Amino acid sequence: MSWFSRDDPGNEKLPKLDNGERRVRTEGLWQKCEGCRQIIWKKDLEANWSVCPKCAFHFRVDAVSRLKLLLDGGEFEPFDSTLTSGDPLGFVDSKPYSERLRAMKESTSLSDALVSGAGTLEGRRVQVCAMEMRFIGGSMGCVVGEKIARAIDRSLAERSPLIIVSASGGARMQEGAVSLMQMAKISAGLMRLDEARIPFISVLTDPTTGGVTASYAMLGDLNIAEPGALIGFAGPRVIEQTIRQKLPEGFQRAEFLLKHGMLDDVVPRPEMKPYIARALKFFVA
Ligand SMILES: [Zn+2]
């Protein structure tokens, strides 16, 4: 997301200050839409679920806002919010993983790439997990795995439906095989949920890729996505190089996947909450 610099045309709409200066107060007030390239008043965008009022482009939303958008009164009881990775491999790339984690915790005020909580959705008690792209690309490591596993346990204990909102670049490289094990761990937990006949709704948002797509994001009783979301396993360039073919237009976008039977529905963000409420009414009755 790019913020406007002082010289952007959006400044024209602002009233002149006493000294004739138009520029000073504009930073952070306007945002350019990545869909239609128009300039949007940031307050209008926030009031519209972070969906462009002009072209319906869905901006990315952070994990805490996700929970607030889904739960009644925007209120939720957070769980495991201090759970943090112990750097099992002592991994170092351009900098030590432990240092990367520390920087991420500081910049996001989160302990890892997933926020979990419980609340009510149109009056029904639910467990909700939302992934945070800003935290090492929303990557799935041992903390994401453990937090989802615990959310599943709570769902089982109180027989409340589970909703996971995914946004992820896939497994966390810095945790190697440990991150890949989370796929099996979560999938096994979801199986128990299935056996107990408790619904799990998977919401795929932009982008949902790699090991997350290859495990829980596609294991919902309902797999629904936001419009325009990039969803896939490998990226398009890797696929093109492997199969030596040009990929069709819109490949790996939510609408394409729906058309080809990989998703159950594409649901605009403002309709997501009532949609899930209706689905749960159908599942649980
Ligand atoms: Zn737009």
Side-chain angles (χ1 to χ4, degrees):
M1 276 183 208
S2 59
W3 298 97
F4 272 101
S5 68
R6 289 163 180 240
D7 300 320
D8 282 311
N11 295 352
E12 295 302 316
K13 289 190 184 172
L14 285 173
K16 266 191 181 177
L17 303 177
D18 288 340
N19 58 1
E21 179 65 73
R22 279 183 199 272
R23 301 171 173 178
V24 195
R25 294 184 189 169
T26 63
E27 271 188 42
L29 293 178
W30 299 90
Q31 195 155 355
K32 194 170 185 175
C33 175
E34 292 166 46
C36 63
R37 302 267 148 219
Q38 292 205 55
I39 291 145
I40 315 163
W41 181 239
K42 216 184 142 210
K43 286 237 162 69
D44 285 349
L45 190 62
E46 281 164 8
N48 199 38
W49 293 272
S50 295
V51 173
C52 174
K54 289 161 184 161
C55 75
F57 175 83
H58 284 53
F59 287 76
R60 290 179 183 176
V61 169
D62 66 87
V64 171
S65 304
R66 282 280 172 198
L67 265 70
K68 288 183 178 170
L69 285 175
L70 285 177
L71 297 169
D72 298 342
E75 283 174 23
F76 65 94
E77 178 191 351
F79 290 103
D80 312 313
S81 50
T82 55
L83 211 60
T84 184
S85 174
D87 188 10
L89 306 180
F91 195 89
V92 179
D93 48 64
S94 58
K95 59 176 161 180
Y97 177 40
S98 53
E99 229 168 76
R100 195 179 294 277
L101 280 173
R102 200 175 314 124
M104 280 288 153
K105 280 180 214 166
E106 215 174 279
S107 70
T108 62
S109 307
L110 299 173
S111 73
D112 211 288
L114 184 133
V115 178
S116 59
T120 56
L121 191 153
E122 293 198 1
R124 185 191 302 277
R125 170 98 175 163
V126 288
Q127 296 287 335
V128 187
C129 298
M131 301 189 73
E132 178 56 68
M133 270 304 283
R134 292 177 303 149
F135 200 105
I136 320 187
S139 53
M140 169 189 59
C142 58
V143 174
V144 168
E146 180 63 19
K147 284 179 96 165
I148 294 179
R150 292 185 186 186
I152 292 171
D153 287 344
R154 288 191 298 273
S155 276
L156 279 166
E158 60 184 33
R159 294 199 63 82
S160 54
L162 173 69
I163 301 161
I164 302 179
V165 183
S166 294
S168 176
R172 185 169 295 170
M173 183 185 79
Q174 292 89 345
E175 292 186 15
V178 176
S179 72
L180 296 180
M181 286 172 199
Q182 307 310 314
M183 297 165 69
K185 173 172 166 170
I186 299 165
S187 301
L190 291 174
M191 183 71 184
R192 285 160 56 218
L193 215 54
D194 189 56
E195 283 164 358
R197 305 227 171 275
I198 298 167
F200 160 45
I201 294 183
S202 174
V203 179
L204 296 89
T205 70
D206 187 59
T208 299
T209 60
V212 171
T213 312
S215 59
Y216 56 88
M218 285 294 185
L219 291 176
D221 293 302
L222 262 186
N223 300 321
I224 51 182
E226 285 192 339
L230 176 81
I231 297 161
F233 182 64
R237 205 180 31 170
V238 174
I239 299 173
E240 274 188 342
Q241 282 167 3
T242 309
I243 63 170
R244 292 161 202 258
Q245 276 180 41
K246 194 99 190 98
L247 295 167
E249 180 74 24
F251 180 72
Q252 290 186 325
R253 293 287 166 187
E255 294 74 12
F256 186 94
L257 271 76
L258 175 66
K259 204 173 147 202
H260 292 83
M262 292 286 287
L263 289 174
D264 294 306
D265 213 345
V266 174
V267 183
R269 191 173 297 155
E271 292 163 31
M272 192 60 86
K273 182 177 173 179
Y275 184 100
I276 293 175
R278 271 201 313 279
L280 290 178
K281 206 168 165 188
F282 173 77
F283 279 131
V284 186

